[in-house]
Amino acid sequence: MPMDAREIERLIKARFPDAEIEIRDLAGDGDHYAAHVVCSAFQGKSRVQQHQMIYEALGGRMGEALHALALTTAVAKASSKD
Amino acid sequence: MRLGLATSKSRPVREVVRPEPRKDERKDQSMTDHAVHDRIRKTIEGNDVVLFMKGTAQFPQCGFSAQVAKILDHLGVPFKDVNVLEDTALRDGVKSFTNWPTIPQLYVKGEFIGGADIVREMFEAGELHALIHDKGIPHTTHG
């Protein structure tokens, strides 16, 4: 059950309006995505918590309609350590 | 009980149909969730490194599970593989236990580390090796 990349972005934006979201369609099949989300709300959260916040924003679609969403997250405006 | 048996001849249907079974069924359902979560807790407490995965370490049945198993092998970390495909209750149970929607799930010393994305990210950054080392887990690779 494929899901449109814009729909993924819309759902995340709805919860985290200031999030910067980059979505790539990995296989060109509308079913395997990689998303990179940069958001100030991630401040002070562990990586696991950051991913849980995104999964929550996706409202249970992760693991269901969305089988393959490779997720990476980063805190916005963090003093860069990279 | 003896009274029940003695009167059962006169009104057998009433003896069989009781209001309790429904309540018991509900109790059984939550007991099942409980039982699965208990099993998961025992597994992650009884093993230093546990990977809940689709398939086994030898024969992973999903690319994401295979990737995490491969990373652990690469680091030379022995781990307990738990195949969630063998048990629907466990497959759902581990998702609710961790509050994590996908498999694989990696636990180290009873602590949830992450799914495939986080494990890969940590591995690439050298953080996974550091974590394994800091937690005092025996492994064959160094630095």
Side-chain angles (χ1 to χ4, degrees), chain B residues 106-130:
Chain B
L106 177 66
Y107 276 84
V108 174
K109 293 263 183 188
E111 185 194 338
F112 177 57
I113 302 306
D117 299 328
I118 289 179
V119 170
R120 187 186 52 233
E121 215 181 322
M122 288 180 73
F123 171 65
E124 285 169 356
E127 286 173 38
L128 190 64
H129 185 266

Side-chain angles (χ1 to χ4, degrees), chain B residues 87-139:
Chain B
D87 187 339
T88 312
L90 179 67
R91 186 175 175 171
D92 294 336
V94 78
K95 291 177 185 178
S96 58
F97 180 86
T98 311
N99 184 25
W100 197 257
T102 53
I103 310 289
Q105 297 184 11
L106 177 66
Y107 276 84
V108 174
K109 293 263 183 188
E111 185 194 338
F112 177 57
I113 302 306
D117 299 328
I118 289 179
V119 170
R120 187 186 52 233
E121 215 181 322
M122 288 180 73
F123 171 65
E124 285 169 356
E127 286 173 38
L128 190 64
H129 185 266
L131 177 105
I132 295 291
H133 189 79
D134 291 347
K135 298 257 183 187
I137 312 265
H139 56 287

Side-chain angles (χ1 to χ4, degrees), chain B residues 13-57:
Chain B
V13 176
R14 290 191 73 98
E15 285 302 313
V16 177
V17 183
R18 289 178 185 173
E20 285 125 71
R22 266 197 197 165
K23 201 173 128 198
D24 284 353
E25 271 168 32
R26 237 179 284 143
K27 205 170 160 190
D28 284 350
Q29 185 51 50
S30 69
M31 291 272 286
T32 307
D33 289 348
H34 243 72
V36 172
H37 284 189
D38 275 352
R39 261 171 61 206
I40 294 166
R41 198 171 295 117
K42 282 195 183 104
T43 305
I44 62 172
E45 281 169 3
N47 300 274
D48 279 349
V49 183
V50 181
L51 181 62
F52 294 93
M53 63 185 293
K54 291 181 179 173
T56 62

Side-chain angles (χ1 to χ4, degrees), chain A residues 6-49:
Chain A
R6 279 165 302 185
E7 178 67 1
I8 299 171
E9 185 167 349
R10 190 189 66 76
L11 287 164
I12 298 172
K13 280 269 187 197
R15 180 69 68 92
F16 306 107
D18 78 330
E20 286 170 44
I21 306 158
E22 227 185 273
I23 297 175
R24 282 182 301 137
D25 189 336
L26 295 176
D29 61 358
D31 206 18
H32 295 78
Y33 296 105
H36 183 64
V37 184
V38 182
C39 182
S40 60
F42 291 156
Q43 188 79 51
K45 307 281 184 188
S46 71
R47 227 188 237 119
V48 166
Q49 287 170 329

